[in-house]
């Protein structure tokens, strides 16, 4: 029977005063971490910056209220960037909203059918392959803004994108690249100075102040999007009909599959950190509700964010209260500080996402699997390459078919060896 984790904690009287205080502190810290990431991920996905924040607020709140994890922090993630960008390019913003809504419904169905436990059957080489592929793809989307290349439209295809970059290498802006490098260095080395305040926030502030004070000729959020609204959008149900469902079922399923895998992987990681198991099926239902509500408010797809969830745990968060506080703080920031966002340089946001893409790529785990068994190597490379040149569903589908064929062949190998001997 479906029951969100927060209700279980209330019933078991685990929401003590001491823990609630710790959760509030953790929620505030996570909100500070989520602020630059949400804005950057929104822009990189092809939508306006406030939509990234709206997603973190609405979906983050719903995932904490209705999910099956004690500590999961939901919001926009780098894994969705290329998928969202591709959907907008093909179906427009309205197509994205409908796809996100439908994906939420699919996730709820997954949870009700108790499909959450299937995540354990996906080989680690497959998950590392597609996360690395997504990381490299995300990296490629940031090159234009990091280098300040004045290219009007960049194709969503990985190979086509790099062809455009190479053919327009003469458009690189020295000032954008210099500011981007400074921002990148701040993010990388700030943790050696202070581990509580995120380097991405410091880079955002320093990069913005440098660009504003010295009137650097770099593109900013304001120059690209104009004035940024701090008003909260009116909820609106997407228009659904048979033709729309048929057209958008494929991208909706892609969103749902990625949301399910990433959120459950994040929940598994956080389980080990707090020595407590999540309810995978309740988590899928919570993720589904989060995506549905995000779409109703004009947001983008969301899922469990591993980095923000880990930061929540490290700062004392142990109940969904931290995720709820994180959403509330982001709402306050949006209402008060949103007009200032227009001064943020795009190259600084690109630097933030370059670090995100590197972390997503799991370079150490990827390198280790290169020298593992032959099947792990094959699954890793197949998933990685197909994620780059095709999409997530194709990559995982092909990899799982190869894995199942291998398992079946392995099952009968001893018999054949015995016959030959």
């Amino acid at each position: 029977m479906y029951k969100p984790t927060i209700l279980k904690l209330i019933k078991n009287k685990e929401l003590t005063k001491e823990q609630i205080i710790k959760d509030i502190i953790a929620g505030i810290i996570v909100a500070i971490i989520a602020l630059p990431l949400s804005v950057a991920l929104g822009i990189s996905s092809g939508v306006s910056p406030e939509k990234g924040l709206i997603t973190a607020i609405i979906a983050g709140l719903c995932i904490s209220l209705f999910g099956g994890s004690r500590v999961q922090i939901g919001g926009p993630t780098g894994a969705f960037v290329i998928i969202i960008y591709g959907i907008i390019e093909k179906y427009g913003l309205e197509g994205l909203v409908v796809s996100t809504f439908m994906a939420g419904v699919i996730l709820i169905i997954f949870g009700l059918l108790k499909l959450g436990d299937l995540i354990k059957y996906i080989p680690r080489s497959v998950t590392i392959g597609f996360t690395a592929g997504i990381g490299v793809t995300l990296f490629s989307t940031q090159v234009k803004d990091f280098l300040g290349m004045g290219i009007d439209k960049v194709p969503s295809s990985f190979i086509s994108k790099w062809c455009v970059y190479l053919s327009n290498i003469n458009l690189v802006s020295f000032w954008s690249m210099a500011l981007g490098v400074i921002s990148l260095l701040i993010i990388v080395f700030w943790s050696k100075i202070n581990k509580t305040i995120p380097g991405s926030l410091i880079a955002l502030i320093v990069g913005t102040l440098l660009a504003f004070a010295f009137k650097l000729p770099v593109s900013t959020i304001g120059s690209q999007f104009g004035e940024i609204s701090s008003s909260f959008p009116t909820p609106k149900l997407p228009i659904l009909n048979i033709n729309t469902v048929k057209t958008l079922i494929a991208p909706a399923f892609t969103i749902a599959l990625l949301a399910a895998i990433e959120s459950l992987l994040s929940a598994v990681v956080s389980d080990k950190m707090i020595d407590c198991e999540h309810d995978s099926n309740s988590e899928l239902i919570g993720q589904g509700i989060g995506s549905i509500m995000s779409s109703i408010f004009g947001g983008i797809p969301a899922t469990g964010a591993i980095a923000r969830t880990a930061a929540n745990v490290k700062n004392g968060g142990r109940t969904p209260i931290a995720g709820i506080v994180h959403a509330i703080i982001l709402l306050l920031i949006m209402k008060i500080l949103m007009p200032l966002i227009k001064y943020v340089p795009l190259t600084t946001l690109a630097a933030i996402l370059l670090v995100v893409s590197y972390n997503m790529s799991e370079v150490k785990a990827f390198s280790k699997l290169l020298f593992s068994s032959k099947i792990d190597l094959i699954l890793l490379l197949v998933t990685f390459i197909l994620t780059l040149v095709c999409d997530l569903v194709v990559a995982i589908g092909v990899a799982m078919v190869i894995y199942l064929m291998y398992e079946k062949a392995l099952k009968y190998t001893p018999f054949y060896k015995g016959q030959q001997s």
Side-chain angles (χ1 to χ4, degrees):
M1 182 179 176
Y2 166 65
K3 181 178 284 188
T5 291
I6 193 167
L7 291 183
K8 294 177 183 177
L9 295 178
I10 293 172
K11 183 179 178 180
N12 297 334
K13 298 181 180 179
E14 294 184 52
L15 294 179
T16 63
K17 181 181 178 181
E18 293 78 11
Q19 185 54 55
I20 289 175
I21 292 173
K22 290 180 181 179
D23 287 325
I24 291 173
I25 294 171
I28 293 171
I29 294 172
V30 173
I32 293 171
I33 295 171
L35 173 63
L37 288 175
S38 301
V39 172
L41 289 166
I43 292 174
S44 185
S45 298
V47 298
S48 54
E50 73 270 14
K51 291 189 183 300
L53 270 180
I54 289 167
T55 303
I57 294 166
I58 298 297
L61 178 65
C62 291
I63 289 168
S64 292
L65 278 174
F66 302 108
S69 170
R70 287 170 172 256
V71 293
Q72 184 90 279
I73 300 295
T77 66
F80 278 117
V81 167
I82 192 64
I83 293 172
I84 296 171
Y85 193 91
I87 293 173
I88 293 175
E89 189 176 55
K90 190 171 183 179
Y91 303 105
L93 192 57
E94 186 60 32
L96 173 66
V97 171
V98 176
S99 297
T100 304
F101 184 92
M102 289 169 59
V105 174
I106 293 170
L107 282 167
I108 292 175
I109 293 171
F110 283 174
L112 294 175
L113 293 177
K114 302 188 183 302
L115 299 181
D117 294 332
L118 293 180
I119 186 71
K120 64 186 178 184
Y121 295 107
I122 298 179
R124 176 168 167 76
S125 51
V126 174
T127 60
I128 295 297
F130 85 73
T131 52
I134 291 170
V136 172
T137 303
L138 176 60
F139 176 90
S140 71
T141 64
Q142 302 310 305
V143 173
K144 178 178 81 77
D145 288 338
F146 186 79
L147 299 179
M149 302 172 76
I151 305 172
D152 292 332
K153 190 171 179 60
V154 178
S156 58
S157 168
F158 179 79
I159 296 174
S160 299
K161 188 184 276 90
W162 280 99
C163 289
V164 169
Y165 290 156
L166 293 174
S167 63
N168 289 277
I169 197 71
N170 59 305
L171 297 179
V172 172
S173 164
F174 168 79
W175 289 110
S176 287
M177 184 171 65
L179 186 58
V181 170
I182 291 171
S183 302
L184 195 61
L185 292 173
I186 291 172
I187 298 168
V188 172
F189 293 106
W190 177 257
S191 61
K192 299 182 184 299
I193 301 172
N194 187 297
K195 293 185 181 297
T196 302
I197 302 174
S200 56
L201 181 64
I202 301 301
L204 191 77
I205 294 171
V206 172
T208 303
L209 289 176
L210 286 174
F212 183 76
F214 294 100
K215 294 182 170 53
L216 299 180
V218 297
S219 297
T220 64
I221 292 177
S223 67
Q224 181 163 324
F225 295 97
E227 290 294 325
I228 309 300
S229 174
S230 60
S231 61
F232 213 74
T234 304
K236 178 184 176 184
L237 281 171
I239 300 173
L240 289 172
N241 54 54
I242 296 297
N243 290 332
T244 303
V245 171
K246 286 181 179 178
T247 302
L248 298 174
I249 189 65
F253 187 79
T254 301
I255 292 171
L257 184 61
L258 179 55
I261 294 173
E262 189 171 10
S263 63
L264 294 182
L265 284 176
S266 175
V268 168
V269 171
S270 64
D271 283 351
K272 295 176 182 177
M273 298 177 72
I274 63 174
D275 193 26
C276 184
E277 289 189 4
H278 72 285
D279 182 332
S280 57
N281 296 309
S282 294
E283 183 62 21
L284 288 180
I285 293 173
Q287 294 288 338
I289 295 172
S291 284
I292 289 172
M293 294 306 296
S294 176
S295 69
I296 289 174
F297 282 90
I300 60 179
T303 185
I306 295 176
R308 275 159 272 175
T309 299
N312 178 33
V313 173
K314 290 176 182 177
N315 287 284
R318 291 296 182 274
T319 79
I321 297 295
I324 295 169
V325 170
H326 135 271
I328 294 171
I329 296 299
L330 283 176
L331 175 61
L332 293 175
I333 291 173
M334 179 179 175
K335 298 300 291 183
I336 298 169
L337 299 178
M338 204 60 182
L340 299 178
I341 295 292
K342 67 180 181 180
Y343 297 109
V344 175
L346 294 181
T347 185
T348 297
L349 292 179
I352 292 171
L353 291 184
L354 287 181
V355 175
V356 172
S357 66
Y358 175 81
N359 292 333
M360 280 187 66
S361 299
E362 298 195 62
V363 176
K364 290 182 179 179
F366 191 94
S367 302
K368 188 175 180 180
L369 283 170
L370 289 175
F371 301 96
S372 186
S373 66
K374 287 183 180 179
I375 185 62
D376 279 334
L377 177 60
I378 291 171
L379 292 175
L380 177 74
L381 294 180
V382 166
T383 312
F384 176 71
I385 293 169
L386 289 180
T387 300
L388 290 181
V389 300
C390 296
D391 62 46
L392 176 75
V393 175
V394 172
I396 294 179
V398 172
M400 288 304 295
V401 168
I402 293 173
Y403 175 68
L404 292 173
M405 290 173 63
Y406 169 79
E407 286 290 301
K408 188 172 182 179
L410 193 65
K411 181 179 178 181
Y412 292 104
T413 299
F415 172 76
Y416 288 119
K417 283 184 176 178
Q419 288 290 90
Q420 291 170 356
S421 61

